[in-house]
Amino acid sequence: MCNKYTLISHKLCPYVQRAAITLAEKGLEFERIDIDLANKPDWFLQVSPLGKTPVLLVDGQAIFESAVICEYLDETMPHRLHPEAALERAQHRAWIEFASATLNNIGGFYNAADTQILNAKATELKTKFAQLEKQLGNGPYFSGENFSLADAAFAPVFRYFDVFERIADFGFFTDLPKLTAWQQALQARASVRTAVSEDYPVFLSAFLHARHSALSALMQ
């Protein structure tokens, strides 16, 4: 009997995108329910002890935290996305944590209160991307020809920069050819494209504008 999957989502949550990408890569049909994190329904708090998205309901049973959701799907469904070798698998898990740290840096960037802080946060991001550039091989994906959970973790990271670079030329990917090629390969993949709605850039732009930050001031 096939399981029924329901993904509890927020339109802009990058961690939800990880789960949606993994579900798509596994060829699994799922229902997606978007909620307002500023006005969380009572039923959501019952299935998400941390009060965060994503939550995956598997036949009504809740799994929360994106890394746990992706690992569960990879362990239970065919076509493994993690490497088979234990050491390489551990390395991928470590770089997935690096992706999460980069998302924290992105939050600091778009919330920066003034131009000096904004530039400092941009430099932090560029430093992380330079580290990634050294890690990458010949591509097209994180560790070669095969799409992995590490790719699913970094695709939502890169999605922000389509909008950031429309606001101003920060040069985040300057002199990073491998990273640029990886970003483009991820953008072209169907699972990545469909992980957000077509109006995602509009929602993200509105979210950024409402921050009243140094970045939003550039959007005037």
Side-chain angles (χ1 to χ4, degrees), residues 35-70:
I35 66 163
D36 180 0
L37 289 174
N39 186 24
K40 299 168 186 174
D42 291 340
W43 64 262
F44 172 70
L45 296 174
Q46 292 175 13
V47 298
S48 178
L50 297 176
K52 301 189 298 184
T53 55
V55 174
L56 182 67
L57 300 179
V58 183
D59 294 334
Q61 298 294 309
I63 307 172
F64 58 95
E65 282 298 301
S66 63
V68 178
I69 291 169
C70 294

Side-chain angles (χ1 to χ4, degrees), residues 150-198:
D151 293 289
F154 277 101
V157 171
F158 295 139
R159 199 188 301 275
Y160 280 98
F161 294 88
D162 294 337
V163 173
F164 290 164
E165 295 289 1
R166 293 176 195 168
I167 297 171
D169 183 8
F170 294 100
F172 283 113
F173 304 116
T174 301
D175 297 325
L176 299 175
K178 291 182 179 179
L179 195 72
T180 299
W182 182 30
Q183 179 195 28
Q184 292 170 349
L186 292 175
Q187 286 176 330
R189 198 164 180 95
S191 63
V192 174
R193 293 198 309 270
T194 59
V196 296
S197 62
E198 291 184 0

Side-chain angles (χ1 to χ4, degrees), residues 5-34:
Y5 299 98
T6 304
L7 182 63
I8 312 302
S9 164
H10 180 272
K11 285 182 178 293
L12 294 177
C13 178
Y15 296 97
V16 167
Q17 293 176 46
R18 293 183 183 183
I21 291 168
T22 304
L23 283 159
E25 288 291 335
K26 295 290 183 176
L28 298 171
E29 294 184 3
F30 63 98
E31 179 185 7
R32 187 165 179 167
I33 300 175
D34 291 325

Side-chain angles (χ1 to χ4, degrees), residues 36-190:
D36 180 0
L37 289 174
N39 186 24
K40 299 168 186 174
D42 291 340
W43 64 262
F44 172 70
L45 296 174
Q46 292 175 13
V47 298
S48 178
L50 297 176
K52 301 189 298 184
T53 55
V55 174
L56 182 67
L57 300 179
V58 183
D59 294 334
Q61 298 294 309
I63 307 172
F64 58 95
E65 282 298 301
S66 63
V68 178
I69 291 169
C70 294
E71 292 271 357
Y72 165 78
L73 292 169
D74 204 39
E75 290 172 0
T76 58
M77 292 291 116
H79 177 50
R80 290 296 299 270
L81 298 175
H82 256 329
E84 291 297 328
L87 177 58
E88 188 180 3
R89 191 162 61 247
Q91 291 171 330
H92 275 225
R93 288 187 175 115
W95 281 103
I96 288 169
E97 285 300 309
F98 188 92
S100 297
T102 305
L103 287 171
N104 289 335
N105 288 127
I106 289 171
F109 173 75
Y110 65 63
N111 282 313
D114 57 45
T115 301
Q116 183 177 358
I117 297 173
L118 181 71
N119 291 335
K121 295 299 182 182
T123 298
E124 289 178 5
L125 284 166
K126 291 175 186 177
T127 298
K128 274 196 160 53
F129 290 151
Q131 289 176 278
L132 268 173
E133 178 78 7
K134 294 177 182 178
Q135 174 65 23
L136 296 173
N138 294 325
Y141 299 116
F142 178 72
S143 60
E145 292 291 331
N146 296 323
F147 186 93
S148 68
L149 289 183
D151 293 289
F154 277 101
V157 171
F158 295 139
R159 199 188 301 275
Y160 280 98
F161 294 88
D162 294 337
V163 173
F164 290 164
E165 295 289 1
R166 293 176 195 168
I167 297 171
D169 183 8
F170 294 100
F172 283 113
F173 304 116
T174 301
D175 297 325
L176 299 175
K178 291 182 179 179
L179 195 72
T180 299
W182 182 30
Q183 179 195 28
Q184 292 170 349
L186 292 175
Q187 286 176 330
R189 198 164 180 95

